[in-house]
Amino acid sequence: MLEYKKFKVSLGDEKVKVAKKILKKLIEIADSEPYWRVVEEALGLKEREAKEVLLFLESIGELTIRRAKNGRRLYVLTLRERRRNPQTLDKWLGVSKTV
């Protein structure tokens, strides 16, 4: 809960740093079931707060949230995938993202 409040009030690089810290904690418990209840008990984060952090990281290009065929975001599946494969090929190669 404390980290989320810090995330909400910080700006710039500090906000990114706090969001990555929250992401790391979310990834650590990614294999727990039922996931959102465990997040609330262990971290004190509500589901919408955790999703807000993930959406922020996606908006700045730090994370890509997987999507189902119907367009819904698959948050937990994304976190589980990051737990199993923490490095992406782009990071290994040192390739910057260009649009």
Side-chain angles (χ1 to χ4, degrees):
M1 184 62 143
L2 205 55
E3 293 294 324
Y4 179 73
K5 287 181 181 179
K6 193 173 183 182
F7 167 77
K8 289 298 283 182
V9 297
S10 58
L11 299 170
D13 291 337
E14 182 67 25
K15 187 170 191 160
V16 173
K17 187 187 303 183
V18 173
K20 285 183 179 181
K21 195 173 185 180
I22 294 171
L23 175 65
K24 184 181 277 189
K25 290 178 183 179
L26 290 172
I27 289 172
E28 287 175 6
I29 58 174
D31 290 330
S32 303
E33 287 292 333
Y35 183 72
W36 295 115
R37 188 176 309 154
V38 172
V39 167
E40 191 166 349
E41 291 170 359
L43 305 178
L45 279 175
K46 295 182 174 142
E47 181 178 349
R48 65 174 172 75
E49 295 170 344
K51 287 179 179 180
E52 182 181 346
V53 172
L54 294 173
L55 289 172
F56 169 74
L57 288 170
E58 184 179 44
S59 71
I60 62 170
E62 291 289 327
L63 175 71
T64 303
I65 298 173
R66 294 187 59 189
R67 298 192 188 276
K69 289 183 180 181
N70 64 0
R72 293 186 65 201
R73 293 181 181 101
L74 304 172
Y75 297 99
V76 179
L77 187 60
T78 301
L79 293 170
R80 287 180 182 159
E81 185 178 282
R82 291 286 289 235
R83 181 174 170 86
R84 292 183 187 107
N85 302 314
Q87 295 272 329
T88 62
L89 185 58
D90 292 341
K91 289 185 180 182
W92 285 356
L93 297 176
V95 177
S96 62
K97 296 179 181 176
T98 56
V99 178

